[in-house]
C-alpha cells in the first residue's frame, strides 16, 4: 500500500475513533443532565450542603422582686475565610491588610503579640483556610470594634469576616441560690438541676435552622449570615426567691459555717400561707476550704433529723389522747435503757419528775422516749399510722428534681427492732430532708394546713403572664385544732423557757425547736475513729402569734466543741428573722 494511502487510512481510523468517543461523551452528558440531573444534583447537595439546628435564646429566670437570676449572654466566635470569593485585592495589598489586622487584633485582645498574629494569619492564608478560627468568646463591644478592622470592614464575602453567635448562660448574682436556679448539661446524659432543669421546656424556646456549605478541607461554613428558619426565644420564669432575703440567709449561714468549721449547711425560708420559698442557701466546704453551693442539701439530703422530730411524737400522743401537756414523766437521773441501748439527757443528773411540756421544752430524750414507749408499746402500728397521717412519710413531689426520699419504718419491716419505737420518738431510725421537716413545721404554723413548697410563681412571654402556679395543699388538716394549738404552745415554750432561750427577741416572738443529732455513717455507724459527727438544727416560724414565715437551718459536722442546735443553727435563724 502506498505510504500516502496508509497515512490517510490511519488518520481516518483515529478520526472515526475520536468521533465515536466524542459522541459517547456527549451522549453521556446528555443522559446525565436530562435523565440523572436531578438525582445527581440532590446527591451533591446532600454531600456539600446541610441544615444545622440553631440554638434559640434561652428565657430568663427572675426573682420574685424582678431581679435577674439567670440569663443568656451572647458571645461571638470570629473566623476568617482567607479565600473569600469577593476579595479583589492584589496579593501585596492583601498581605499589607493582614499586617495591620494583626496589630489591631493584638491591641484589642491583648493575648498575643502582633508578630504571633501575623505569623498565624500568613500561615492560614498560605494554607487556603476557609474557616480559620481567630477568637472565641468575643463580647458585643469587641465585635463592634472588629467590624472596623482591615479586611473585616469589607464583610463576609469581600473580606472573609465570619461571625458565629454563641449564647452562654450566666447567673448575675454568682453563687446566690445557684443550686436551686440550677443548670442543664445535655452533653452529659441530659443532667438537669434546679429551676433550669425543671422548666427547661419553657426556657429553651424553639430552635432555628441554618444552611451550611462544605468547603476545602471538609470544613462546613454558613451559606449566609441569615438563618433559613429563625429560632424562637424561650419564655421567662418568675421564681419565688427574694434576692435580698437570700443574700441575708447565705451570709448568715456562711458566717456560722466558718465560725464552727462545719462541713456543710442549709437555710430555707418559706412563706407560711403560700409555701413560696423566699430563700434557700446550700453551702458546702470545698477542697480549698471555701464555702460554695455544691449540692442542694435542703432538697436532697435525707438524714435522721434528731430532736426536731420530737414535735411529731408529741402531736401523735396528743391526737390519740394519751397525754396532756401538764401530765408528768419521771426522767430519773437522766438515763434510760431499752435493751442494751442507753439514752441520756444533756443535763447531768437528769431533770427528775417533769411535765410533758417541760420534757419537750428541755428536749429530754429520756422523757419523750418514755412517754412514747409507755403509751405505744404493743401499739407501734398506731404510732406509725399517726405519723403517716401527718404526711411525714410522703415525698413532697417538688417542682425541682432531686428530692431525698423520706423513710419512716413500719412495724414488721426488715430493720424494725425492739429499740425502734423509742429511737423513732426522738428522731432516729427515721429519715427526712430539711425541706420535708420544714414543711411539717410550716403546717403547724399554718393551723394544720400543709402546703407544698413552691419555687416558681409564673411563666411569662414578652412580659405577659401565660401560666400561673397556684398554691397546692397537701393536707388541709394534719391533725385536730386542739392538737395544733398545743403544738404551737410547745414551740413558743422552747424559746421562752427551754433550749432556745438564747433566741428570744424583744421585737418579735419566735417559735421553734432545736435539734442535735448524731450522724450515722453507713460503714462505721455513729462513731468513726472514736469521733462522733453531729448535725445541729433549728426549725420554727415567726412572728409566733401571727406566723408569716417558717424557717429551718441545718449545720452538718460542726466542730467537736460546739454542736448544739441553739448555738450553731439558731443564730442563723435569728439573723434571717
Amino acid at each position: 500500500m502506498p505510504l500516502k494511502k496508509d497515512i490517510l487510512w490511519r488518520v481516518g481510523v483515529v478520526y472515526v475513533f475520536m468521533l465515536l468517543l466524542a459522541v459517547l461523551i456527549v451522549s453521556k452528558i446528555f443522559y446525565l443532565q436530562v435523565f440523572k440531573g436531578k438525582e445527581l444534583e440532590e446527591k451533591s447537595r446532600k454531600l456539600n450542603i446541610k441544615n444545622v439546628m440553631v440554638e434559640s435564646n434561652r428565657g430568663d429566670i427572675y426573682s420574685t422582686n424582678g431581679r435577674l437570676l439567670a440569663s443568656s449572654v451572647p458571645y461571638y466566635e470570629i473566623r476568617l475565610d482567607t479565600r473569600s470569593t469577593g476579595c479583589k485585592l492584589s496579593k501585596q495589598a492583601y498581605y499589607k491588610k493582614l499586617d495591620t489586622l494583626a496589630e489591631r487584633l493584638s491591641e484589642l485582645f491583648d493575648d498575643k503579640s502582633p508578630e504571633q498574629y501575623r505569623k498565624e494569619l500568613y500561615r492560614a492564608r498560605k494554607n487556603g483556610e476557609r474557616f480559620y478560627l481567630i477568637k472565641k468568646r468575643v463580647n458585643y463591644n469587641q465585635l463592634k470594634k472588629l467590624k472596623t478592622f482591615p479586611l473585616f470592614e469589607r464583610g463576609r464575602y469581600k473580606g472573609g469576616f465570619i461571625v458565629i453567635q454563641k449564647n452562654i448562660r450566666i447567673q448575675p448574682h454568682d453563687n446566690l441560690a445557684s443550686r436551686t436556679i440550677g443548670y442543664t448539661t445535655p452533653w452529659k446524659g441530659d443532667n438537669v438541676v434546679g429551676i433550669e432543669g425543671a422548666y427547661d421546656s419553657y426556657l429553651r424556646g424553639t430552635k432555628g435552622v441554618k444552611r451550611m456549605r462544605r468547603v476545602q478541607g471538609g470544613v462546613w461554613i454558613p451559606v449566609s449570615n441569615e438563618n433559613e428558619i429563625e429560632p424562637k426565644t424561650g419564655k421567662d420564669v418568675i421564681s419565688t426567691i427574694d434576692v435580698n432575703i437570700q443574700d441575708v440567709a447565705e451570709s448568715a449561714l456562711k458566717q456560722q459555717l466558718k465560725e464552727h468549721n462545719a462541713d456543710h449547711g442549709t437555710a430555707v425560708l418559706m412563706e407560711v400561707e403560700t409555701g413560696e420559698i423566699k430563700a434557700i442557701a446550700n453551702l458546702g466546704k470545698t477542697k480549698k476550704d471555701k464555702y460554695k453551693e455544691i449540692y442542694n442539701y435542703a432538697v436532697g439530703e435525707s438524714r435522721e433529723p434528731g430532736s426536731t422530730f420530737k414535735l411529731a411524737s408529741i402531736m401523735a400522743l396528743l391526737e390519740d389522747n394519751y397525754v396532756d401537756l401538764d401530765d408528768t414523766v419521771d426522767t430519773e437521773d437522766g438515763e434510760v435503757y431499752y435493751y442494751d441501748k442507753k439514752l441520756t439527757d444533756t443535763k447531768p443528773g437528769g431533770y427528775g419528775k417533769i411535765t410533758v411540756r417541760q420534757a419537750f421544752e428541755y428536749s429530754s430524750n429520756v422523757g419523750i422516749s418514755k412517754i412514747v414507749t409507755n403509751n405505744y408499746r404493743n401499739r407501734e402500728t398506731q404510732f406509725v399510722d399517726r405519723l403517716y397521717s401527718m404526711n411525714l412519710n410522703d415525698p413532697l413531689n417538688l417542682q425541682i428534681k432531686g428530692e431525698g426520699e423520706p423513710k419512716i419504718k413500719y412495724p414488721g419491716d426488715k430493720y424494725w427492732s425492739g429499740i425502734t419505737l423509742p429511737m423513732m420518738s426522738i428522731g432516729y431510725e427515721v429519715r427526712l430532708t430539711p425541706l420535708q421537716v420544714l414543711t411539717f413545721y410550716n403546717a403547724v404554723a399554718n393551723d394544720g394546713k400543709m402546703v407544698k413548697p413552691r419555687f416558681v410563681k409564673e411563666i411569662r412571654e414578652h412580659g405577659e403572664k401565660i401560666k400561673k402556679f397556684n398554691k397546692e395543699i397537701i393536707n388541709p388538716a394534719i391533725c385536730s385544732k386542739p392538737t395544733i394549738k398545743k403544738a404551737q404552745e410547745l414551740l413558743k415554750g422552747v424559746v421562752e423557757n427551754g433550749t432556745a432561750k438564747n433566741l428570744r427577741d424583744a421585737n418579735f416572738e419566735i417559735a421553734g425547736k432545736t435539734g442535735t443529732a448524731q450522724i450515722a455513717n453507713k460503714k462505721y455507724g455513729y462513731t468513726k475513729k472514736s469521733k462522733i459527727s453531729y448535725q445541729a438544727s433549728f426549725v420554727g416560724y415567726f412572728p409566733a402569734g401571727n406566723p408569716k414565715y417558717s424557717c429551718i437551718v441545718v449545720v452538718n459536722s460542726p466542730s467537736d466543741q460546739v454542736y448544739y442546735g441553739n448555738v450553731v443553727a439558731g443564730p442563723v435563724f435569728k439573723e434571717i428573722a
Side-chain angles (χ1 to χ4, degrees):
M1 182 184 295
L3 181 60
K4 186 177 180 181
K5 266 188 166 184
D6 184 53
I7 291 171
L8 289 173
W9 181 82
R10 291 175 184 273
V11 169
V13 170
V14 171
Y15 176 77
V16 171
F17 175 76
M18 294 300 292
L19 182 63
L20 290 173
L21 183 61
V23 170
L24 284 172
I25 291 171
V26 171
S27 300
K28 186 65 173 179
I29 291 171
F30 179 79
Y31 171 76
L32 290 175
Q33 286 191 336
V34 175
F35 298 103
K36 288 284 190 176
K38 288 186 178 179
E39 181 184 338
L40 292 172
E41 187 179 345
E42 181 64 20
K43 283 183 179 180
S44 175
R45 193 189 67 78
K46 286 182 178 179
L47 289 171
N48 296 292
I49 299 289
K50 69 176 180 181
N51 291 329
V52 298
M53 305 305 292
V54 179
E55 293 294 329
S56 59
N57 286 328
R58 195 169 176 82
D60 296 330
I61 300 176
Y62 291 91
S63 70
T64 189
N65 41 4
R67 300 275 287 278
L68 194 63
L69 297 178
S71 184
S72 293
V73 175
Y75 280 84
Y76 304 91
E77 190 174 283
I78 306 301
R79 293 182 177 268
L80 176 64
D81 180 1
T82 65
R83 289 286 185 265
S84 52
T85 54
C87 182
K88 297 179 181 179
L89 296 173
S90 66
K91 185 176 180 180
Q92 185 178 1
Y94 187 86
Y95 280 122
K96 187 176 180 181
K97 294 273 188 183
L98 283 185
D99 289 343
T100 311
L101 177 61
E103 291 173 5
R104 299 289 296 276
L105 289 172
S106 177
E107 181 183 339
L108 177 63
F109 298 124
D110 194 27
D111 58 345
K112 300 175 187 176
S113 67
E115 185 60 32
Q116 282 180 287
Y117 268 115
R118 189 177 292 109
K119 284 181 180 178
E120 291 174 7
L121 291 171
Y122 274 55
R123 191 182 305 116
R125 166 72 173 178
K126 184 179 179 181
N127 296 337
E129 296 195 34
R130 305 297 306 271
F131 205 52
Y132 174 68
L133 175 64
I134 289 180
K135 190 73 176 176
K136 290 183 177 180
R137 297 198 66 170
V138 171
N139 63 41
Y140 181 69
N141 289 331
Q142 290 172 326
L143 177 64
K144 286 203 300 184
K145 291 180 181 177
L146 284 167
K147 288 181 177 179
T148 67
F149 286 7
L151 288 180
F152 290 174
E153 64 187 354
R154 299 169 66 87
R156 174 174 185 152
Y157 295 106
K158 291 185 178 181
F161 183 49
I162 300 172
V163 180
I164 300 172
Q165 181 175 323
K166 306 269 186 180
N167 291 325
I168 298 175
R169 202 68 171 166
I170 64 163
Q171 294 181 10
H173 297 283
D174 193 24
N175 204 41
L176 215 64
S178 62
R179 292 298 301 191
T180 301
I181 297 168
Y183 56 85
T184 60
T185 53
W187 60 90
K188 291 184 179 178
D190 291 325
N191 186 27
V192 293
V193 174
I195 294 171
E196 289 273 19
Y199 292 88
D200 181 57
S201 59
Y202 290 104
L203 288 163
R204 67 176 175 235
T206 306
K207 294 180 179 180
V209 177
K210 180 178 279 290
R211 184 156 291 182
M212 305 286 281
R213 175 168 56 92
R214 186 163 64 175
V215 296
Q216 182 182 356
V219 175
W220 293 90
I221 64 173
V223 171
S224 70
N225 288 328
E226 302 298 323
N227 295 319
E228 299 297 311
I229 300 174
E230 289 298 324
K232 186 178 179 183
T233 301
K235 300 171 181 62
D236 297 330
V237 172
I238 312 302
S239 76
T240 61
I241 301 294
D242 185 305
V243 171
N244 298 321
I245 301 174
Q246 177 71 32
D247 189 36
V248 172
E250 198 154 301
S251 298
L253 178 63
K254 184 180 288 187
Q255 178 62 33
Q256 282 296 94
L257 293 176
K258 286 180 178 178
E259 185 173 329
H260 296 285
N261 193 30
D263 181 74
H264 63 268
T266 183
V268 187
L269 184 78
M270 180 158 68
E271 198 170 67
V272 169
E273 172 62 26
T274 64
E276 290 186 4
I277 301 297
K278 294 300 179 183
I280 176 168
N282 294 282
L283 297 175
K285 185 190 286 187
T286 67
K287 292 179 180 179
K288 295 181 179 180
D289 287 339
K290 302 288 185 183
Y291 288 100
K292 295 188 68 176
E293 289 236 350
I294 55 179
Y295 182 73
N296 200 327
Y297 302 105
V299 170
E301 188 170 61
S302 183
R303 281 191 167 170
E304 293 170 311
S307 294
T308 56
F309 194 79
K310 289 173 181 173
L311 179 65
S313 299
I314 293 293
M315 287 174 64
L317 289 159
L318 291 169
E319 194 71 357
D320 287 332
N321 296 312
Y322 284 140
V323 298
D324 209 342
L325 299 186
D326 295 323
D327 293 346
T328 59
V329 57
D330 190 359
T331 65
E332 302 176 63
D333 60 355
E335 292 183 0
V336 63
Y337 278 89
Y338 299 98
Y339 297 96
D340 61 343
K341 181 68 177 177
K342 182 173 78 169
L343 297 184
T344 61
D345 284 335
T346 55
K347 183 182 179 182
Y351 297 102
K353 188 173 284 190
I354 55 177
T355 64
V356 171
R357 185 193 304 273
Q358 289 173 318
F360 185 80
E361 289 175 352
Y362 303 156
S363 199
S364 169
N365 292 330
V366 174
I368 301 297
S369 66
K370 269 191 166 186
I371 301 168
V372 169
T373 304
N374 292 341
N375 286 285
Y376 287 109
R377 184 184 285 117
N378 301 321
R379 287 196 288 260
E380 292 87 352
T381 299
Q382 184 185 7
F383 177 67
V384 178
D385 283 343
R386 181 61 68 189
L387 297 177
Y388 282 14
S389 73
M390 294 186 282
N391 302 91
L392 284 164
N393 200 49
D394 298 332
L396 297 171
N397 297 315
L398 300 168
Q399 291 174 311
I400 62 178
K401 294 183 178 181
E403 181 183 6
E405 183 183 0
K407 180 63 178 174
I408 296 177
K409 295 178 187 177
Y410 202 82
D413 284 356
K414 181 179 178 181
Y415 294 106
W416 186 278
S417 72
I419 66 169
T420 295
L421 182 62
M423 292 299 287
M424 283 179 64
S425 72
I426 61 171
Y428 290 91
E429 296 200 26
V430 299
R431 300 182 77 86
L432 293 168
T433 68
L435 197 51
Q436 289 159 359
V437 174
L438 177 61
T439 302
F440 174 67
Y441 274 74
N442 192 82
V444 174
N446 204 21
D447 293 329
K449 185 187 293 183
M450 183 178 280
V451 294
K452 181 189 286 192
R454 193 152 45 104
F455 297 91
V456 170
K457 296 177 69 171
E458 58 190 51
I459 307 294
R460 291 181 187 172
E461 187 172 24
H462 306 303
E464 297 292 325
K465 181 169 62 180
I466 61 169
K467 185 177 179 65
K468 184 179 180 182
F469 297 94
N470 296 312
K471 176 174 70 176
E472 288 186 53
I473 298 172
I474 297 172
N475 190 337
I478 61 171
C479 62
S480 64
K481 291 292 182 183
T483 295
I484 284 292
K485 293 301 178 188
K486 290 173 182 177
Q488 291 171 345
E489 281 183 46
L490 288 172
L491 293 174
K492 279 196 251 183
V494 170
V495 180
E496 290 300 315
N497 313 304
T499 55
K501 284 190 288 186
N502 62 311
L503 301 182
R504 282 187 294 193
D505 194 288
N507 299 314
F508 56 91
E509 198 177 14
I510 291 173
K513 180 72 183 76
T514 57
T516 306
Q518 294 181 17
I519 300 171
N521 182 288
K522 287 184 179 180
K523 187 175 180 181
Y524 300 100
Y526 292 99
T527 304
K528 181 180 179 183
K529 296 180 180 178
S530 75
K531 286 188 176 182
I532 299 174
S533 292
Y534 291 93
Q535 175 179 282
S537 58
F538 186 85
V539 56
Y541 51 85
F542 59 91
N546 183 26
K548 174 70 174 173
Y549 297 108
S550 61
C551 181
I552 188 169
V553 179
V554 180
V555 176
N556 196 291
S557 299
S559 62
D560 294 338
Q561 291 77 26
V562 183
Y563 48 79
Y564 290 110
N566 65 323
V567 179
V568 178
V572 181
F573 184 103
K574 189 174 181 180
E575 179 77 11
I576 296 170

